[in-house]
Amino acid sequence: DMQVSKSYEPDAAGQANLAICSNQIANKFDCLAVTLEQPYKDCLSNPDPERGWSPDRCKRLGASLLDAVAHTVPVLRSSDSFWEQLPPADEYVCPTEGTATG
């Protein structure tokens, strides 16, 4: 249920908006922090015309977030430029229609 048409652009290094909870937590505790924006309606890029957004999809979304976080563990404190060797499936996907804020 990840959409790529609209997204937030990543902040430049050292320029995160600390009014956003996950940015504040990451900054204060020097750790990985994420924000999971829980949808309340069906996903535009992957609609389910029969059921729409459902409790089962909520559970799968939460589980997939844990998979993504676990995937980052080996490189969390890496000083290597690991992002330069990411496989195509793990590369940053730039929004195609602009940002969610613009």
Side-chain angles (χ1 to χ4, degrees):
D1 284 317
M2 180 60 106
Q3 78 174 17
V4 295
S5 62
K6 291 196 179 271
S7 182
Y8 298 103
E9 287 294 330
D11 295 314
Q15 299 299 311
N17 179 352
L18 297 182
I20 297 173
C21 182
S22 56
N23 292 346
Q24 183 66 247
I25 295 295
N27 183 66
K28 183 170 183 162
F29 298 106
D30 190 27
C31 65
L32 175 66
V34 298
T35 298
L36 175 60
E37 294 184 358
Q38 185 63 46
Y40 57 90
K41 60 183 180 179
D42 206 0
C43 182
L44 293 176
S45 61
N46 186 24
D48 182 341
E50 189 175 314
R51 290 177 292 282
W53 193 250
S54 67
D56 186 51
R57 283 178 81 182
C58 290
K59 290 175 188 176
R60 288 186 308 211
L61 178 61
S64 70
L65 175 66
L66 295 177
D67 290 339
V69 169
H71 187 69
T72 66
V73 168
V75 296
L76 280 177
R77 300 288 179 186
S78 175
S79 59
D80 296 333
S81 300
F82 62 89
W83 56 89
E84 294 174 357
Q85 289 88 36
L86 290 175
D90 290 336
E91 291 178 352
Y92 172 70
V93 177
C94 188
T96 57
E97 294 179 15
T99 64
T101 57

